[in-house]
């Protein structure tokens, strides 16, 4: 189970599996020479910002890992990568039908999220404003709210009274998904239906009134747009299936000393 701590048996199985795989790699003549090890080390150093072996060694020492033990582990990992490439990936075949079948069965994982298009009327009140100034701005916002309740056009009022740059386009600030907005604003606007207008909402920027102009419901993304993600998922799934079958065959014929 994802996120759970492996049991003692699971840890033992992992050790045995690794030993079996390394044992088979030796039989298949897979060896990682010093040059291949050096190239891999340089790549790891570069990706982690280590300027020298010494800096890398110091980082390992802080984790109580010796240089020799790290090199041994890295050599084994590279060996297993080559083994997987030779024994499993060379037999891996993914067809277009596999990809479309996965897409059809997992469409819920490839959705455009629900989005709402908002207009706003923003009356600015800076954090440094005095209580009297804030009260004055709030009163003006409440007057605009009353106008809206009487049926006046939101876009026109945004153009006339709004103080954000969007007032020039009737207060239109575009589309938003959950997580895009401050929690206090998100809670308000995502509770509104299409065409509905909020009350006055306070934020560090001032006082807002929002209108939900349009709601775009969650919808499946086109296959071509998510094809790469699907291919990665299908390859990973098939690779693991092949690996388990391959391991099962090895296990049946292996003798491992722990």
């Amino acid at each position: 189970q994802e996120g759970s701590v492996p049991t003692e048996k699971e840890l033992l199985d992992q050790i045995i599996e690794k030993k079996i795989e390394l044992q088979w790699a030796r039989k298949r003549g897979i060896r990682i020479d010093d040059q291949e090890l050096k190239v891999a080390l340089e790549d790891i150093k570069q990706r982690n910002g280590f300027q020298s072996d010494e800096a890398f060694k110091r980082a390992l020492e802080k984790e109580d890992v010796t240089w020799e033990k790290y090199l041994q582990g890295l050599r084994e990992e590279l060996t297993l990568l080559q083994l997987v490439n030779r024994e499993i990936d060379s037999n891996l075949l993914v067809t277009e039908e596999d990809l479309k079948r996965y897409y059809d069965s997992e469409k819920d994982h490839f959705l455009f999220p629900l989005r709402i298009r908002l207009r706003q009327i923003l009356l600015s009140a800076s954090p440094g404003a005095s209580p009297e100034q804030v009260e004055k701005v709030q009163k003006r916002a409440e007057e605009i709210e009353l106008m809206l309740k009487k049926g006046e056009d939101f876009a026109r009022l945004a153009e006339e009274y709004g103080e954000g740059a969007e007032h020039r386009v009737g207060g239109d600030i575009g589309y938003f998904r959950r997580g895009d907005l401050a929690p206090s604003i998100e809670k308000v606007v995502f509770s509104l239906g299409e065409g509905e207008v909020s009350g006055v909402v306070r934020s560090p920027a001032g006082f807002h009134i929002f209108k939900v102009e349009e709601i775009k419901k969650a919808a499946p993304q086109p296959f071509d747009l998510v094809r790469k993600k699907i291919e990665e998922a299908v390859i990973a799934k098939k690779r693991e299936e092949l690996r388990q079958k391959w391991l099962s065959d090895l296990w049946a014929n292996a003798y491992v000393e722990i």
Side-chain angles (χ1 to χ4, degrees):
Q1 187 178 348
E2 189 175 347
S4 62
V5 178
T7 64
E8 187 174 337
K9 181 182 182 304
E10 288 171 337
L11 288 172
L12 183 60
D13 286 347
Q14 289 171 14
I15 292 170
I16 293 172
E17 283 182 5
K18 187 173 182 180
K19 283 184 174 290
I20 290 173
E21 290 172 339
L22 289 170
Q23 200 175 78
W24 185 249
R26 284 192 294 271
K27 287 182 179 179
R28 299 285 281 166
I30 296 175
R31 299 284 187 275
I32 301 299
D33 60 34
D34 291 343
Q35 181 59 31
E36 289 174 301
L37 191 66
K38 183 179 178 182
V39 170
L41 271 174
E42 289 302 318
D43 180 59
I44 293 168
K45 281 160 53 180
Q46 185 176 3
R47 283 189 285 111
N48 289 276
F50 296 118
Q51 301 300 317
S52 64
D53 285 353
E54 287 67 32
F56 197 0
K57 288 176 183 178
R58 286 195 296 272
L60 290 172
E61 286 172 3
K62 290 179 181 178
E63 301 295 327
D64 291 326
V65 177
T66 66
W67 184 243
E68 291 73 20
K69 185 175 181 181
Y70 181 81
L71 290 183
Q72 179 189 345
L74 179 59
R75 196 183 293 271
E76 289 178 352
E77 289 304 314
L78 293 171
T79 300
L80 294 179
L81 281 173
Q82 281 198 20
L83 180 66
V84 166
N85 183 60
R86 182 183 296 184
E87 300 290 324
I88 297 172
D89 287 359
S90 61
N91 296 312
L92 193 58
L93 176 65
V94 175
T95 66
E96 196 71 10
E97 288 71 26
D98 291 329
L99 302 183
K100 289 181 177 175
R101 193 180 305 115
Y102 185 88
Y103 173 73
D104 288 338
S105 66
E106 301 289 339
K107 274 187 178 176
D108 287 349
H109 291 102
F110 301 108
L111 295 176
F112 283 121
L114 180 145
R115 296 182 299 156
I116 59 174
R117 180 178 161 211
L118 294 176
R119 293 184 187 271
Q120 78 163 350
I121 299 170
L122 168 64
L123 302 183
S124 300
S126 67
S130 68
E132 292 78 13
Q133 290 172 319
V134 171
E135 185 179 356
K136 185 178 178 181
V137 175
Q138 182 175 0
K139 185 177 179 183
R140 195 162 77 253
E142 289 168 350
E143 289 169 353
I144 295 170
E145 180 187 12
L146 189 58
M147 288 186 239
L148 289 166
K149 286 180 178 178
K150 289 179 178 178
E152 296 208 32
D153 183 67
F154 193 100
R156 188 188 68 76
L157 293 182
E159 289 176 5
E160 185 173 348
Y161 296 105
E163 296 175 354
E166 69 281 350
H167 84 277
R168 300 185 186 90
V169 289
D172 193 337
I173 53 176
Y175 289 93
F176 296 87
R177 300 176 297 182
R178 290 189 184 277
D180 288 345
L181 299 164
S184 58
I185 292 176
E186 179 178 295
K187 183 178 179 182
V188 172
V189 298
F190 276 92
S191 69
L192 299 172
E194 192 167 276
E196 291 185 342
V197 175
S198 74
V200 176
V201 180
R202 181 75 163 102
S203 84
F207 294 90
H208 310 252
I209 302 173
F210 295 99
K211 179 183 179 182
V212 175
E213 190 69 26
E214 181 185 3
I215 296 177
K216 285 199 171 184
K217 295 182 179 179
Q221 298 184 54
F223 173 80
D224 288 342
L225 193 63
V226 292
R227 190 183 191 284
K228 184 174 175 56
K229 287 183 180 178
I230 292 170
E231 191 170 21
E232 290 170 354
V234 172
I235 286 173
K237 184 173 182 289
K238 285 205 168 191
R239 179 184 285 129
E240 183 57 24
E241 288 171 354
L242 285 172
R243 179 178 174 275
Q244 289 303 323
K245 182 180 183 306
W246 174 72
L247 264 178
S248 178
D249 293 342
L250 281 185
W251 197 291
N253 299 291
Y255 174 75
V256 180
E257 291 186 0
I258 303 298

